[in-house]
Amino acid sequence: MIDKLEYLIALSGEKHFGRAADRLGITQPTLSAGIRQLEERLGTTLVNRGSRYRGLTEEGERALAWARRITDDVRTMREEIKTVKRGLSGHLRIGAIPTSLAVVAKLTAPFHQKYENVTFEITSQTATEIIAAIANFEIDVGLTYVDDERLKKLDSHVLYEEHYCLVTRKGSEFHDREEVTWEEVATLKLGLLSSTMRNRQILNRHLGAGGRPFRAVTESNSMVALLSQTRLAGIATVMPYRSAAVLGLADPLVAIPITGPDVGYRIGLVTARRELRPPIVAAFWEESRLIGPV
């Protein structure tokens, strides 16, 4: 039964029988047969079929929500049993907004030193994607902005506050300044994160304060791509000062604090609110609180 539920989850994610079968490491006929067996067991049609996959029925969507919950509970049970036998081990799935990726290692490195049988999967996601992925049991924890009304149903705690700096090349405008204002930054040709990112919405608010115009000549969902553009294409970017410090910007790039005003937004760890957390999630959560501000 658990296998069949995992078939449904994979099919929903891939939206294609062939790709879902490849993801599961089974044949397409095996997948199709498994889905039909699940439908027979539940007494209803779960998948709209035709010449190709056409989505889940209303009953299928309900079954999918339960499938995600049940398979996650089974995973938790297996991890608890393994922990009793061999100590903490397992695979921790972490979703992080792009501006926090540089500091994830400050959490994972000490945790891995303490629990060497734990492995990590770290993905870059938007704040919206992190919330959805936690709700769908696709990631275990997320690093995102905690000042978000959508987090009311999740557990969260603050790790640090995000402040911003201008990153530019030596020899460019403002490169030798000790600090710059948002108004000055708005006059430059900028590379910024994509408009779907919460960070970009924050920067839009401050760069465009009072209707002030500014120009983003490059957009990306990757801070590394923006740094490459800044180094080679003669633009500037804005990034959290903490990320710039962790990355250790190399010559010819320089980071200059942005003031007037100096703004900050809280970044924290979030996870699903549940009565019993998987052992690996519970341990990571507690260790992150002991580490303190990263």
Side-chain angles (χ1 to χ4, degrees), residues 36-101:
R36 290 195 183 280
Q37 289 169 11
L38 183 60
E39 290 176 323
E40 291 171 3
R41 186 76 176 270
L42 297 177
T44 188
T45 301
L46 302 177
V47 179
N48 290 313
R49 294 178 178 83
S51 58
R52 63 184 64 185
Y53 173 79
R54 293 181 177 176
L56 301 181
T57 64
E58 183 177 352
E59 294 87 350
E61 293 290 349
R62 294 287 185 90
L64 176 65
W66 278 104
R68 286 168 170 158
R69 187 179 307 175
I70 291 168
T71 55
D72 191 69
D73 283 344
V74 170
R75 174 175 173 249
T76 299
M77 177 186 68
R78 288 171 175 162
E79 287 188 0
E80 280 205 6
I81 293 171
K82 286 198 302 183
T83 298
V84 170
K85 292 178 63 177
R86 297 181 296 186
L88 190 67
S89 63
H91 189 65
L92 186 70
R93 302 164 301 174
I94 303 172
I97 55 174
T99 57
S100 72
L101 284 169

Side-chain angles (χ1 to χ4, degrees), residues 167-213:
V167 178
T168 189
R169 285 175 58 94
K170 289 181 179 178
S172 63
E173 191 173 5
F174 307 133
H175 82 277
D176 55 351
R177 295 273 294 275
E178 292 187 1
E179 58 184 40
V180 291
T181 66
W182 289 100
E183 184 175 4
E184 290 170 327
V185 174
T187 67
L188 302 173
K189 292 182 179 180
L190 298 169
L192 301 175
L193 285 175
S194 305
S195 58
T196 56
M197 302 286 182
R198 175 77 183 276
N199 171 267
R200 175 61 182 277
Q201 294 159 16
I202 289 171
L203 298 187
N204 286 350
R205 187 180 312 134
H206 296 290
L207 289 169
R212 180 171 57 226

Side-chain angles (χ1 to χ4, degrees), residues 15-35:
K15 296 177 173 52
H16 186 277
F17 278 92
R19 290 195 299 269
D22 288 342
R23 170 173 153 184
L24 292 164
I26 59 177
T27 65
Q28 187 169 330
T30 299
L31 173 65
S32 297
I35 295 293

Side-chain angles (χ1 to χ4, degrees), residues 65-192:
W66 278 104
R68 286 168 170 158
R69 187 179 307 175
I70 291 168
T71 55
D72 191 69
D73 283 344
V74 170
R75 174 175 173 249
T76 299
M77 177 186 68
R78 288 171 175 162
E79 287 188 0
E80 280 205 6
I81 293 171
K82 286 198 302 183
T83 298
V84 170
K85 292 178 63 177
R86 297 181 296 186
L88 190 67
S89 63
H91 189 65
L92 186 70
R93 302 164 301 174
I94 303 172
I97 55 174
T99 57
S100 72
L101 284 169
V103 302
V104 173
K106 289 196 171 185
L107 298 174
T108 57
F111 192 76
H112 185 64
Q113 287 179 350
K114 188 170 184 178
Y115 303 107
E116 62 180 15
N117 291 323
V118 171
T119 58
F120 304 94
E121 180 182 351
I122 302 165
T123 56
S124 176
Q125 297 177 306
T126 66
T128 298
E129 289 170 342
I130 286 172
I131 293 170
I134 288 177
N136 292 333
F137 304 101
E138 294 168 349
I139 62 173
D140 301 305
V141 297
L143 273 77
T144 187
Y145 297 95
V146 297
D147 301 311
D148 189 326
E149 288 293 313
R150 297 173 297 177
L151 298 182
K152 285 184 176 179
K153 295 183 179 180
L154 303 179
D155 287 336
S156 65
H157 71 82
V158 177
L159 295 171
Y160 65 93
E161 192 166 69
E162 187 175 85
H163 294 267
Y164 304 99
C165 64
L166 170 69
V167 178
T168 189
R169 285 175 58 94
K170 289 181 179 178
S172 63
E173 191 173 5
F174 307 133
H175 82 277
D176 55 351
R177 295 273 294 275
E178 292 187 1
E179 58 184 40
V180 291
T181 66
W182 289 100
E183 184 175 4
E184 290 170 327
V185 174
T187 67
L188 302 173
K189 292 182 179 180
L190 298 169
L192 301 175

